[in-house]
Amino acid sequence: FGFIRCLRGVLERYPYRLWVAGGDGGLAARRLQLLPTYKQREHSEEEDEYRQRFKLNRAYLHQLLPLLGVQELKFNGREADDLIHLSRELLRTLAAAESAAVGAVVISEDRDFLQMVEPDTDIYQPRMDRYVTALCFQQIVEVPIERFLLFKSVFGDAGDKIPGIKGVGEKTAHTVAVEAPILDGFPEPSRWVDVPDWCREHKSKRVRSIADSWDTVIRNYQMVALTLEEFSDSERAALSHQLAQP
């Protein structure tokens, strides 16, 4: 009920012609190859009971979404966040073909989606009833938007079982993301080329330890960056067709 109520409020605020919901079709093989323990966790009996209730509610939700005009996207072996990211890219392409602009709102508490924030793409976080936009990104996230993936790569993602640097907490990761020198005009992680040397010379032992574990930072970037997931031509064509439906 909470999700439906949240969705109703956003639908009323943003009168877009198309709404999609991403569904997980499995874990990305690329990420599992990089980190076999990715999203692997043991569950207590209480958690298992909750998961069963969640699956039941999700089954009802699958039936309700089409009635609300929301398309569900789900491909085998593809994670929901990757599909949502690709959908955003394809919608821009479809709009450009019609010489039109297209805005988007991603509804999620998953901080991975924050890397998608752009002038035409907002993130809505239902629990906080908060929109993260390009204009307020740094105020809310406390990291400049162009440095967010550096922060994620250093800190890791405990929820997805992506370990950060041992002994490095959120405060230290924040220090590196905000203060370390990065290059303009280069894609990530090439723009971070000077960060390891900067870390080695830092007064903090924790910051210096990041330079010794830089391979972990690069691996984490490869795990969390949504732009790195590759889709086949047939997958892109199938998704474009689905998105182009009225």
Side-chain angles (χ1 to χ4, degrees), residues 88-223:
R88 185 71 192 99
E89 174 191 329
L90 295 176
L91 284 171
R92 283 199 183 101
T93 302
L94 293 170
E98 299 175 1
S99 299
V102 58
V105 178
V106 178
I107 308 171
S108 180
E109 296 291 341
D110 189 341
R111 288 174 60 87
D112 287 344
F113 284 119
L114 291 173
Q115 62 190 281
M116 289 181 59
V117 171
E118 295 189 51
D120 61 354
T121 306
D122 301 339
I123 306 298
Y124 175 61
Q125 298 174 325
R127 292 179 187 172
M128 299 290 291
D129 189 23
R130 178 173 71 185
Y131 289 84
V132 183
T133 70
L135 292 176
C136 67
F137 187 96
Q138 186 167 351
Q139 178 184 353
I140 293 175
V141 184
E142 299 182 343
V143 173
I145 194 168
E146 68 275 10
R147 293 170 175 261
F148 175 70
L149 279 176
L150 176 57
F151 170 79
K152 285 279 292 183
S153 300
V154 172
F155 187 53
D157 189 326
D160 287 346
K161 295 297 181 181
I162 302 174
I165 308 301
K166 185 177 180 180
V168 173
E170 186 171 3
K171 183 177 179 180
T172 303
H174 178 271
T175 296
V176 174
V178 171
E179 298 180 10
I182 64 172
L183 302 177
D184 293 330
F186 289 85
E188 292 155 323
S190 299
R191 65 193 319 185
W192 306 342
V193 65
D194 294 328
V195 176
D197 287 341
W198 179 87
C199 289
R200 287 188 186 95
E201 298 174 2
H202 201 275
K203 62 182 181 181
S204 167
K205 182 178 179 180
R206 290 189 176 90
V207 173
R208 293 198 300 271
S209 72
I210 294 171
D212 297 330
S213 302
W214 193 247
D215 287 347
T216 299
V217 175
I218 298 303
R219 182 208 62 194
N220 288 353
Y221 167 75
Q222 294 171 336
M223 294 292 295

